[in-house]
Amino acid sequence: MNRVELLAPAGDLEKLKMAINYGADAVYLGGESFGLRKASKNFSLEDIEEGIKFAHDRNKKVYVTLNIVPHDKDLYGLEEYVISLHELNVDAVIVSDPGMYSVIKRTVPDLQIHISTQASVTNYETIMFWYSLGVRRIVLARELSFAEIKGITDKIPDDLEIEAFVHGAMCMSYSGRCLLSNYMTGRDANMGDCAQPCRYKYHLVEEKRPGEYFPIFEDDEGTFIFNSKDLCMIEHIPQLIESGITSFKIEGRVKSSYYVATVIRSYRMAIDEYYKDPENYVYNSKWLEEIKKVSHRDFTTGFYYEKPTSDAQVYATSSYIRGYDFVGMVLDYNKETKVATIEQRNRMSIGDKIEIFGPSVDYFSQTIDKMWDENGNEIEVAPHAQQIIKMIMEKPVEKFYLIRKGKGD
C-alpha cells in the first residue's frame, strides 16, 4: 500500500526542523520572493540550502512556494531564482499562475512543479489540462467534497498525485483568492500580504440610514460574519486516505514551532495507526485533545461533507482558543544527572505544573521544583525570552522535546 504524505508548513528553519522531527514526510516553505506568506519569516537561499540538507539527510522532501498572482513587474528575477532553487536540489515548487509556470518550465524543464490551491482546481478536465503540460501533482481547491474528490481520483492517471488541505485556517474567499484585503487596507492577499479582513467585526448599514449600524446576527456586540472555523480532519483519516488523496497538507506557516510540532505529531500518530491495520483502525480521541492544546479556533470539516452550514462560522469572536502556553524547548539532556537544558519560550516559575512531550510519545506531567540559570545559580522564575535554564526531568527527554503549561497552572 502506498502511504500518504504528511506535508507540514515551515515558516523558518526551526519550524522546518520541528516539523520533520515530529513526523512530517515533507515541508513547504516560502523564499524571500514570489510566495504568499509575507507574515512568516521565510527563507533566504542560504536557509533553503540548510533546510534541504536537513530534510534530505532524513529522506524527507522540501517544496518551495512561488504561488503569487503576479503582474509583469513581479516576474523580475524569477528565472535566476528558480535556477538557484534547482541547483539547491529542491524537490518541487508550488505555482498558481500559468505565466509563472511557463517561465519556470522554460528555464528549468526538469524542476517538478505542483499546482497550488490558489489555481482553484475543482474538476477533472482542469486537472488533465495541467497533466498534459507535465504537472504531476495538483493541490485541490478547498471547496471540494469527498464525493467529488473520489470521482476525480478514480479517473486520473496513476502517476498524478492529489494534495489537499486537511487542517488549519480556512479562508472565506474561493481557494484564498481574496480581494477584500487589498480593497480595504491596500495589502494584496494574492501577493502574500493578507490583512485577514475576514476576521474583522462587521455590522450592516442600510442605504438610506447612514450611520446606523445593525448587527447581522442576533448579538449586541455585532458579528464576525466571514470568520470561518479552522479545518480539522484528524477524526476522518480513513475517509481521507480512501478518497485517493496522496498528500495531507497542514496549513500554518505563520504559526509557532509548538503548533507545528503538536499538530504534525497527532496526524502522524493517526496515520501510522491506520496503516498498522486499516480494517480495524480505531480513532483515538487523544489525538484531537492534543491538537486542542495549541492556539486554535473551533473546528469544522470544511467542504469535505458537502457545503458547510452556518455552524462552520465563528460569530462571536475572531480570537483564538488558548488553553496552554508553549514555555520551553529541550536543547540537551544529561542521562546521568537527569538534568535538561531548556530554552525558555514563556514565563516559568517554581511550582508550575508542566507537560513535556516529544515525537510519537505520550506527554508526561511534573511540577517544577527547582530551576537553575545557565551559570548554575538557583532561580525562582524564568522571565526572559529565550533564557537558557536547567531543570531535572522525571522521565528521559531528548533534544526538541517541548514543554507546555496550562493557563491555570
Side-chain angles (χ1 to χ4, degrees), residues 53-118:
K53 184 179 188 310
F54 185 89
H56 287 181
D57 285 348
R58 292 157 180 80
N59 295 315
K60 310 297 184 180
K61 294 181 178 180
V62 175
Y63 312 136
V64 175
T65 59
L66 305 176
N67 54 347
I68 60 170
V69 180
H71 295 249
D72 275 349
K73 62 182 176 60
D74 302 313
L75 295 173
Y76 178 77
L78 178 59
E79 293 95 335
E80 294 82 0
Y81 189 64
V82 294
I83 289 171
S84 297
L85 292 177
H86 188 243
E87 290 173 347
L88 294 178
N89 201 25
V90 69
D91 294 284
V93 294
I94 306 170
V95 169
S96 65
D97 179 71
M100 289 194 72
Y101 176 88
S102 296
V103 173
I104 295 166
K105 201 68 178 173
R106 182 171 66 241
T107 306
V108 278
D110 57 341
L111 178 60
Q112 288 294 312
I113 302 176
H114 298 171
I115 299 303
S116 169
T117 192
Q118 293 288 124

Side-chain angles (χ1 to χ4, degrees), residues 263-279:
V263 174
I264 291 298
R265 174 173 171 265
S266 283
Y267 276 88
R268 178 78 278 151
M269 288 179 173
I271 292 167
D272 289 349
E273 189 65 25
Y274 173 87
Y275 282 114
K276 287 179 184 177
D277 187 357
E279 296 296 324

Side-chain angles (χ1 to χ4, degrees), residues 81-228:
Y81 189 64
V82 294
I83 289 171
S84 297
L85 292 177
H86 188 243
E87 290 173 347
L88 294 178
N89 201 25
V90 69
D91 294 284
V93 294
I94 306 170
V95 169
S96 65
D97 179 71
M100 289 194 72
Y101 176 88
S102 296
V103 173
I104 295 166
K105 201 68 178 173
R106 182 171 66 241
T107 306
V108 278
D110 57 341
L111 178 60
Q112 288 294 312
I113 302 176
H114 298 171
I115 299 303
S116 169
T117 192
Q118 293 288 124
S120 303
V121 176
T122 58
N123 64 79
Y124 171 77
E125 292 297 336
T126 302
I127 287 172
M128 293 311 297
F129 164 78
W130 285 114
Y131 182 82
S132 70
L133 294 179
V135 170
R136 292 299 178 265
R137 180 180 291 196
I138 304 284
V139 189
L140 292 178
R142 303 187 197 196
E143 293 78 20
L144 293 179
S145 67
F146 273 130
E148 291 174 306
I149 294 170
K150 191 68 168 69
I152 287 169
T153 59
D154 281 346
K155 294 189 291 185
I156 61 173
D158 291 340
D159 62 340
L160 179 59
E161 298 177 340
I162 295 296
E163 181 181 310
F165 281 93
V166 301
H167 192 95
M170 293 285 282
C171 179
M172 52 76 62
S173 293
Y174 207 91
S175 295
R177 298 174 72 91
C178 182
L179 300 176
L180 278 178
S181 180
N182 203 4
Y183 178 78
M184 297 178 70
T185 70
R187 291 171 53 180
D188 192 343
N190 298 312
M191 292 296 292
D193 199 22
C194 184
Q196 292 199 321
C198 55
R199 310 295 180 188
Y200 297 175
K201 183 185 292 186
Y202 291 90
H203 285 69
L204 180 68
V205 177
E206 196 270 329
E207 180 183 12
K208 296 181 180 179
R209 302 181 187 181
E212 295 186 45
Y213 302 97
F214 300 96
I216 302 171
F217 187 71
E218 292 293 334
D219 188 304
D220 292 339
E221 298 298 322
T223 179
F224 297 84
I225 57 171
F226 304 132
N227 188 38
S228 173

Side-chain angles (χ1 to χ4, degrees), residues 5 10 15 25 47 55 124 135 191 200 236 250 266 276 285 406:
E5 175 186 83
K15 295 172 189 176
D25 298 305
D47 287 341
Y124 171 77
V135 170
M191 292 296 292
Y200 297 175
H236 308 275
I250 310 295
S266 283
K276 287 179 184 177
S285 61

Side-chain angles (χ1 to χ4, degrees), residues 115-383:
I115 299 303
S116 169
T117 192
Q118 293 288 124
S120 303
V121 176
T122 58
N123 64 79
Y124 171 77
E125 292 297 336
T126 302
I127 287 172
M128 293 311 297
F129 164 78
W130 285 114
Y131 182 82
S132 70
L133 294 179
V135 170
R136 292 299 178 265
R137 180 180 291 196
I138 304 284
V139 189
L140 292 178
R142 303 187 197 196
E143 293 78 20
L144 293 179
S145 67
F146 273 130
E148 291 174 306
I149 294 170
K150 191 68 168 69
I152 287 169
T153 59
D154 281 346
K155 294 189 291 185
I156 61 173
D158 291 340
D159 62 340
L160 179 59
E161 298 177 340
I162 295 296
E163 181 181 310
F165 281 93
V166 301
H167 192 95
M170 293 285 282
C171 179
M172 52 76 62
S173 293
Y174 207 91
S175 295
R177 298 174 72 91
C178 182
L179 300 176
L180 278 178
S181 180
N182 203 4
Y183 178 78
M184 297 178 70
T185 70
R187 291 171 53 180
D188 192 343
N190 298 312
M191 292 296 292
D193 199 22
C194 184
Q196 292 199 321
C198 55
R199 310 295 180 188
Y200 297 175
K201 183 185 292 186
Y202 291 90
H203 285 69
L204 180 68
V205 177
E206 196 270 329
E207 180 183 12
K208 296 181 180 179
R209 302 181 187 181
E212 295 186 45
Y213 302 97
F214 300 96
I216 302 171
F217 187 71
E218 292 293 334
D219 188 304
D220 292 339
E221 298 298 322
T223 179
F224 297 84
I225 57 171
F226 304 132
N227 188 38
S228 173
K229 294 179 179 179
D230 285 353
L231 179 66
C232 179
M233 295 298 291
I234 191 74
E235 298 175 276
H236 308 275
I237 296 299
Q239 295 94 321
L240 288 168
I241 293 175
E242 291 158 16
S243 72
I245 297 169
T246 50
S247 180
F248 293 178
K249 190 168 194 172
I250 310 295
E251 183 273 340
R253 276 190 285 151
V254 299
K255 301 289 181 65
S256 69
S257 296
Y258 169 56
Y259 173 93
V260 171
T262 303
V263 174
I264 291 298
R265 174 173 171 265
S266 283
Y267 276 88
R268 178 78 278 151
M269 288 179 173
I271 292 167
D272 289 349
E273 189 65 25
Y274 173 87
Y275 282 114
K276 287 179 184 177
D277 187 357
E279 296 296 324
N280 298 297
Y281 170 81
V282 177
Y283 166 73
N284 189 333
S285 61
K286 183 186 297 183
W287 300 326
L288 180 57
E289 290 168 9
E290 285 293 289
I291 287 175
K292 287 182 176 180
K293 291 182 179 180
V294 300
S295 177
H296 67 282
R297 301 180 183 91
D298 288 329
F299 291 127
T300 175
T301 55
F303 289 80
Y304 280 105
Y305 293 98
E306 305 300 339
K307 185 178 179 180
T309 67
S310 59
D311 289 340
Q313 300 297 114
V314 181
Y315 295 102
T317 178
S318 62
S319 298
Y320 286 97
I321 301 168
R322 293 181 172 91
Y324 284 77
D325 286 327
F326 169 34
V327 296
M329 180 173 69
V330 174
L331 301 179
D332 192 22
Y333 177 69
N334 187 313
K335 293 180 180 179
E336 294 182 2
T337 64
K338 299 182 179 180
V339 172
T341 302
I342 296 161
E343 183 180 272
Q344 184 260 35
R345 293 302 177 91
N346 270 297
R347 183 185 179 94
M348 286 184 281
S349 303
I350 297 297
D352 285 346
K353 184 178 179 181
I354 57 175
E355 295 179 357
I356 303 97
F357 67 95
S360 303
V361 295
D362 286 336
Y363 72 87
F364 66 92
S365 302
Q366 69 177 57
T367 299
I368 302 176
D369 293 322
K370 288 185 178 181
M371 288 190 297
W372 298 268
D373 64 20
E374 57 186 326
N375 297 318
N377 301 309
E378 194 165 336
I379 56 175
E380 294 289 319
V381 61

